[in-house]
Amino acid sequence: MKNIDHVFKSIEFIERNLQQPIKIEDISNEVGFSIYHFSRIFNKYTGHSPYDYMIRRRISEVAKEIVLKKEKIIDIAFDYHFNNYETFLRAFKRMFGILPNDLRKAKNIETLILRLPITYDYLLHINRKDFFTASIIELEDINFIGKILNYIKCNIITEKEWVKFLEDIKILENRITPEEFYRISFFSMNPNIKTTEMLTVKVATLDRIPYIFVAKKVDRSKYLKFTYQGPLADIEMTYDYIFQTWLPKSKYKMKECFTVEKYDVKSIGKDKIIEGIDILIPVE
């Protein structure tokens, strides 16, 4: 059995025992490793320590039950073995930026970035290539003109959508860097819940906007830049890793609620494999 299989077996054990008083030693025994060796390979393949993953999963499940159930929050927390309520409140606030009572009043779980259960496909994906190394870039004000996408199947831009967009933008007279194309994804608090999608290009000014297009000006900002290569169908798992694991462990915070994907002529319109796109995330 490969190390990645042992890690997934341990994840399944954790998932079965989120409401049981298990320790890291119990998890390492399940896969037959010492605590030191197990902790090292778990962190290598998931980006989390075993304890951090288990706590984040428990807090995520508590959050769902706070919204869905009427039981006292303290009782729900105890069900998931947060035996010190003050410690639980601090951990909840640190993970989500709000307190449990505020979540119950809002009754909107979609505002939270939950630590979802790690799947085997997800493990394979995040360990396939080293595209989770970010660089910091600064961009000046950018003028975008594009079209709202009313429907994207599985958040993948289809060949038909690209062809239609490339035909429509032929009427634009003030495009710059014509070999570059962008997708902007807007969301409300939770980057895993997209609210608006745009296919866009950069233009010199926003003086004349043809009626079939919408405009978006993005102010000067600092961005994290990730460069992704691989199956287009897997790009959502890349976002999951960035927002659930990479960003929480970094020193950066999102500045605005949108992401930008930068395509070139070689990577647009591919339904299966893309040669490389830049993912830009505004941060402070």
Side-chain angles (χ1 to χ4, degrees):
M1 184 180 288
K2 299 178 181 178
N3 280 340
I4 197 168
D5 297 314
H6 287 294
V7 170
F8 184 64
K9 182 179 178 181
S10 71
I11 289 170
E12 291 183 310
F13 180 77
I14 292 170
E15 293 298 324
R16 291 195 305 269
N17 291 280
L18 287 175
Q19 291 184 291
Q20 301 301 321
I22 60 171
K23 300 177 181 178
I24 304 306
E25 183 179 5
D26 300 320
I27 308 170
S28 62
N29 287 339
E30 176 71 12
V31 294
F33 288 157
S34 68
I35 293 179
Y36 171 79
H37 183 58
F38 167 66
S39 297
R40 185 175 62 84
I41 65 167
F42 191 96
N43 189 72
K44 175 184 176 181
Y45 283 98
T46 68
H48 296 274
S49 71
Y51 180 79
D52 179 58
Y53 176 77
M54 182 168 65
I55 293 300
R56 286 176 174 273
R57 283 292 300 122
R58 283 176 169 170
I59 292 175
S60 295
E61 293 302 307
V62 169
K64 288 192 285 188
E65 292 197 16
I66 287 172
V67 172
L68 296 174
K69 296 184 178 181
K70 296 182 178 180
E71 284 129 81
K72 292 181 178 179
I73 293 174
I74 190 171
D75 292 336
I76 297 173
F78 284 169
D79 286 343
Y80 284 88
H81 293 276
F82 291 103
N83 298 322
N84 185 309
Y85 192 59
E86 293 301 318
T87 300
F88 162 73
L89 291 178
R90 287 195 297 270
F92 193 98
K93 179 72 178 293
R94 185 165 57 248
M95 183 168 176
F96 296 132
I98 63 173
L99 290 170
N101 278 328
D102 298 326
L103 174 63
R104 174 157 280 177
K105 290 175 184 177
K107 296 183 179 179
N108 188 359
I109 197 70
E110 291 187 351
T111 63
L112 305 184
I113 304 176
L114 302 176
R115 173 64 269 179
L116 304 175
I118 287 179
T119 66
Y120 192 77
D121 285 343
Y122 177 86
L123 279 180
L124 291 176
H125 174 71
I126 66 173
N127 289 284
R128 183 178 291 130
K129 286 185 180 291
D130 187 25
F131 46 73
F132 294 112
T133 300
S135 58
I136 295 292
I137 62 173
E138 289 195 23
L139 298 178
E140 299 296 328
D141 295 353
I142 305 174
N143 297 317
F144 288 109
I145 284 183
K147 301 193 74 174
I148 300 293
L149 297 181
N150 294 321
Y151 175 71
I152 302 178
K153 185 178 181 181
C154 298
N155 287 320
I156 296 173
I157 307 170
T158 66
E159 184 85 26
K160 182 179 179 181
E161 287 165 327
W162 273 119
V163 169
K164 180 66 167 62
F165 178 68
L166 295 178
E167 183 65 28
D168 289 340
I169 61 176
K170 288 180 180 179
I171 67 172
L172 295 176
E173 298 177 355
N174 60 344
R175 284 183 61 193
I176 55 178
T177 56
E179 72 281 2
E180 295 177 356
F181 308 88
Y182 298 83
R183 177 171 91 161
I184 305 178
S185 299
F186 301 93
F187 45 85
S188 177
M189 297 298 292
N190 187 342
N192 296 318
I193 307 297
K194 308 289 175 55
T195 57
T196 303
E197 301 272 2
M198 288 178 61
L199 281 183
T200 69
V201 292
K202 291 196 294 186
V203 293
T205 67
L206 299 178
D207 294 339
R208 299 189 304 275
I209 304 172
Y211 75 94
I212 63 172
F213 294 110
V214 294
K216 169 67 177 176
K217 181 178 180 181
V218 176
D219 295 331
R220 177 179 178 176
S221 185
K222 181 167 62 177
Y223 293 85
L224 286 173
K225 184 182 83 169
F226 298 85
T227 300
Y228 174 74
Q229 295 183 2
L232 188 55
D234 289 348
I235 197 168
E236 289 303 311
M237 288 192 286
T238 299
Y239 279 105
D240 287 345
Y241 182 85
I242 291 171
F243 286 111
Q244 296 189 35
T245 301
W246 199 99
L247 267 175
K249 295 175 67 174
S250 77
K251 63 181 180 180
Y252 301 104
K253 293 183 179 180
M254 287 199 70
K255 181 179 178 181
E256 297 184 66
C257 293
F258 69 87
T259 61
V260 179
E261 293 173 8
K262 176 185 173 184
Y263 294 75
D264 61 25
V265 292
K266 295 180 180 179
S267 58
I268 66 171
K270 302 291 182 68
D271 286 332
K272 294 183 179 179
I273 302 293
I274 54 178
E275 295 186 13
I277 64 169
D278 290 338
I279 297 172
L280 306 177
I281 301 171
V283 293
E284 55 186 6

